Amino acid sequence: MFKNLSMMTDLYQLTMMNGYFVDGTHNNEAVFDMFYRRKEGLDYCISAGLEQLVDYIKNLKFTDDDVAYLQKRGGFNEGFLRYLRELKFTGDIYAVQEGEVIFPYEPLMRVKAPLIQAQLIETAALNILNHQTLIATKASRVVHAAQGKSVVEFGLRRAHGPDAGIYGARAAVIGGCGGTSNVLAGQLFDVAIKGTQSHSWVMSYEDELTAFERFADIYPDGCLLLVDTYDTLGSGVPNAIKVFKKLREKGHKPVGIRIDSGDLAYLSKKARQVLDDAGFKDAIIFASGDLDEEIITSLNVQGAHIDAYGVGTKLITSESNSSLGGVYKLSGVYINGEFCPRMKISDNPEKMTNPGLKKVYRIYGKDGMAEADLIALEGESLKRPLVLKHETLDWKKKAVDDYTFRELLTPVFLSGKVVYQKRSVAECANYSQGELNRFWEEYKRLLNPHIYKVNVSEGLKKLKMRLLKEHSVKGE
C-alpha cells in the first residue's frame, strides 16, 4: 500500500511516452475509454475502485530516485527524464460511480488528457479498477444467491497478497457483503468487522464442552459456537445447547452456531430441529466452508436452514473468473486542434472498439425499471420516441416514448483538479443495491441471464461505418 504508485506501470508505457516526447506529439490531447469485454459470469458488473484511482492520480510524481533508476537503465531521452520530474495530471476524467451497475463494452471511464499523461495512467487504472470491480461483482452474485441472508467476506487468508485482501474486502462490501473479517479493512474503510470462533480454540481445551463454556464465560453476549470440530450432531450441537441453557439462566441471549464442514444442507436442517426443540428458535445457524454463489443456490434448493454465510476463498479470489477483462483503448486524438476519431479494427468483432468522444445513458421505463443503456457521441441528443436497436440486427428494435434517463459518466477530474465527491463504502454499497433493484431479476439470474440491451446511437454507428470504409479503401 504505497502512497506513490507512479512507477507501477508497464515498461512499454514509458517507452511510448518517451517516443511521444521525442516526436513532439506528447502534448496532443487524446481520448481513451476503459470498458470490459463480455465473459461468462460477468453479464453485469459492479464498479469499484474509483477512490483508489483518484488517490493514485492525485499523487502522481516521479521522484529523483525514480528518474535516476530510469536514467541508469538507459534508453530514455534526457529531456523526457527532465519532463518526468515535473509531470502532473492536467486532464479530464469522467467515470461511473462506485457501486454502479455496468455492462460489457460500455465505457466505465473516459480520459481526455495530453497523450503522454493519458498513456501513463493506463496500467494503474486497469490494475485498480479491474480488481475491485471483479471482487465487487463476485460479491454481488454471492449476495444475490443468498436471497436476503447475511453474507460476510472471510477471504483475507486466501487473498493474493495484502493489497488484494484489503481492497478486495472493500470491494466485497460495495458488492453487498454485510461485513468482513479483515480488521485493517474495517479500520481503513469504516466497514463492519465480524468473526466467530476457531477450531484451534476448541482443540486447545481438553474437551469440546469446556472450550464452549470458557468462550461463553468470556463472550456471554456474543456467543456463536463452532460445532463441527469433532462431531457436529453427535457432540457439537448438544454441547452448544448445554452452554446456551446456562447463558439463558444468567440472562444472556446466545447468538447461535457455526458449521464449517460436512453436508451443510443436511446438518443445518438437523441442527435447526434440535435447537428449536431445545427452545432456541432465535439462535442462528452460520455456515462457511468454500462457499460460492452456486453452492449457496444449491443449499437453498435443498431447503437448508442457514441464516448467514461466511464466504472466503472463492469470493476474494473470484475463483470462477480470474480477471475482469477490462481494457483501455484510444478512441480519438486532437491534431492541430481538430478531433480525429480512432477505432481498433479486428477480424474478431468483439475486439473492435467504439470511436469518438462518447457518453453513456441509462434509459428507464415509466415503471422506473432499466430498459437499456445507450452509448452516444458527445453532442447527440435523445429523441422521443427513442428507437433502441440491436447493434447489427436493425430489424430487432423497440421504440420507447415515456422514459427517463441519466448519464452514467460523471466528472472526476477537470483540468487536473479533483471534482470527485468521496463517498463512504456504506454509501457506495447502498447506492449499488438501490440500482440493482431497478433491474429485472431476469438480468441478474446466475444461470443463462437475459442479456441487457446496450445500444449504440445512430451517430456512433455512422462514425464506425465511415471509419471501416476509410480503412478498407486505404487497405486496397
Side-chain angles (χ1 to χ4, degrees):
M1 298 178 65
F2 301 96
K3 186 67 173 176
N4 177 19
L5 296 175
S6 302
M7 291 283 277
M8 192 188 78
T9 189
D10 294 303
L11 175 60
Y12 88 149
Q13 308 289 16
L14 292 168
T15 300
M16 288 183 289
M17 291 167 64
N18 182 74
Y20 295 142
F21 184 88
V22 172
D23 206 35
T25 59
H26 58 293
N27 281 325
N28 288 354
E29 282 203 315
V31 179
F32 284 80
D33 297 325
M34 179 180 170
F35 57 92
Y36 80 96
R37 298 187 175 118
R38 187 179 303 282
K39 296 172 71 174
E40 185 177 354
L42 296 174
D43 298 280
Y44 77 88
C45 283
I46 304 298
S47 178
L50 182 60
E51 183 179 314
Q52 280 65 51
L53 180 62
V54 170
D55 287 343
Y56 156 74
I57 294 173
K58 280 170 55 179
N59 290 292
L60 271 177
K61 178 179 175 61
F62 286 88
T63 66
D64 291 343
D65 287 344
D66 296 336
V67 174
Y69 169 78
L70 296 175
Q71 189 173 39
K72 182 179 179 181
R73 183 195 178 277
F76 296 108
N77 178 275
E78 285 296 324
F80 170 67
L81 294 176
R82 288 193 296 272
Y83 171 87
L84 287 184
R85 295 178 189 272
E86 305 299 326
L87 186 146
K88 290 184 179 179
F89 184 77
T90 61
D92 301 338
I93 295 180
Y94 284 72
V96 300
Q97 301 180 61
E98 290 198 272
E100 192 73 82
V101 183
I102 55 175
F103 295 91
Y105 307 111
E106 60 186 17
L108 59 95
M109 181 176 70
R110 186 184 80 198
V111 178
K112 180 183 177 186
L115 182 55
I116 196 168
Q117 298 176 25
Q119 189 75 63
L120 171 62
I121 68 173
E122 174 184 2
T123 297
L126 289 174
N127 176 277
I128 294 167
L129 297 180
N130 272 343
H131 173 248
Q132 288 199 47
T133 298
L134 184 70
I135 304 305
T137 303
K138 184 68 171 181
S140 178
R141 288 171 59 85
V142 170
V143 170
H144 186 261
Q147 298 181 353
K149 296 171 183 176
S150 176
V151 176
V152 180
E153 184 276 313
F154 265 16
L156 180 58
R157 288 171 292 174
R158 304 288 176 81
H160 296 152
D163 279 8
I166 293 164
Y167 289 115
R170 177 185 187 275
V173 175
I174 290 175
C177 287
T180 176
S181 65
N182 188 328
V183 178
L184 181 54
Q187 180 186 32
L188 290 173
F189 308 123
D190 191 26
V191 298
I193 54 174
K194 300 184 179 183
T196 59
Q197 182 186 54
S198 70
H199 289 107
S200 59
W201 175 277
V202 179
M203 295 165 66
S204 69
Y205 288 86
E206 60 271 26
D207 59 70
E208 186 178 57
L209 180 58
T210 301
F212 286 176
E213 288 174 336
R214 291 298 300 128
F215 193 84
D217 289 341
I218 299 169
Y219 304 105
D221 296 311
C223 188
L224 195 152
L225 301 175
L226 182 58
V227 297
D228 75 321
T229 303
Y230 301 118
D231 184 342
T232 302
L233 299 178
S235 66
V237 175
N239 282 331
I241 288 173
K242 291 176 184 177
V243 173
F244 289 171
K245 287 179 178 178
K246 291 180 181 179
L247 280 173
R248 188 165 57 186
E249 289 171 359
K250 297 177 182 178
H252 300 287
K253 183 179 178 180
V255 176
I257 63 171
R258 174 182 160 210
I259 307 172
D260 188 54
S261 61
D263 187 331
L264 295 178
Y266 171 78
L267 292 174
S268 67
K269 286 186 279 189
K270 289 295 185 180
R272 181 75 276 158
Q273 182 180 349
V274 175
L275 287 167
D276 289 353
D277 290 346
F280 295 100
K281 293 183 177 182
D282 291 336
I284 70 167
I285 297 178
F286 188 103
S288 56
D290 288 329
L291 300 176
D292 63 8
E293 66 268 42
E294 294 181 4
I295 295 173
I296 292 174
T297 297
S298 176
L299 289 170
N300 289 335
V301 170
Q302 296 172 72
H305 285 279
I306 296 172
D307 303 291
Y309 297 93
V311 184
T313 303
K314 294 183 179 182
L315 194 167
I316 204 66
T317 64
S318 186
E319 187 175 270
S320 55
N321 276 295
S322 59
S323 68
L324 179 70
V327 295
Y328 183 90
K329 296 297 182 182
L330 182 73
S331 61
V333 292
Y334 287 83
I335 300 176
N336 297 323
E338 179 182 355
F339 182 70
C340 302
R342 293 290 187 263
M343 173 182 175
K344 184 183 187 303
I345 298 172
S346 172
D347 290 336
N348 181 351
E350 291 190 349
K351 294 231 171 172
M352 296 176 68
T353 60
N354 288 317
L357 194 63
K358 299 175 293 295
K359 292 185 174 183
V360 184
Y361 296 97
R362 179 149 296 158
I363 312 300
Y364 299 94
K366 60 183 179 181
D367 55 5
M369 301 297 284
E371 284 271 355
D373 287 2
L374 179 68
I375 308 172
L377 295 175
E378 187 87 22
E380 280 191 282
S381 58
L382 300 185
K383 300 177 181 178
R384 294 183 188 275
L386 180 64
V387 179
L388 302 173
K389 292 183 181 180
H390 189 283
E391 184 170 356
T392 58
L393 305 175
D394 279 348
W395 57 268
K396 196 171 185 180
K397 57 187 177 181
K398 176 182 180 180
V400 291
D401 193 5
D402 189 2
Y403 68 87
T404 58
F405 67 90
R406 66 183 178 90
E407 291 187 35
L408 297 190
L409 297 173
T410 60
V412 179
F413 283 86
L414 294 176
S415 299
K417 295 183 179 179
V418 180
V419 295
Y420 165 77
Q421 297 296 315
K422 182 177 178 179
R423 296 184 302 164
S424 70
V425 173
E427 288 172 327
C428 295
N430 290 335
Y431 174 82
S432 185
Q433 188 56 56
E435 287 305 307
L436 273 171
N437 290 340
R438 301 183 75 179
F439 288 86
W440 296 108
E441 286 299 310
E442 289 80 358
Y443 297 125
K444 296 179 285 187
R445 66 185 177 220
L446 302 180
L447 185 63
N448 296 325
H450 192 67
I451 302 301
Y452 182 75
K453 304 177 192 69
V454 177
N455 285 245
V456 297
S457 68
E458 287 299 316
L460 181 51
K461 280 185 181 180
K462 290 177 181 177
L463 176 59
K464 291 179 73 172
M465 293 307 297
R466 176 171 71 81
L467 294 178
L468 283 167
K469 185 177 179 180
E470 289 175 358
H471 174 78
S472 176
V473 169
K474 289 177 182 178
E476 294 175 352

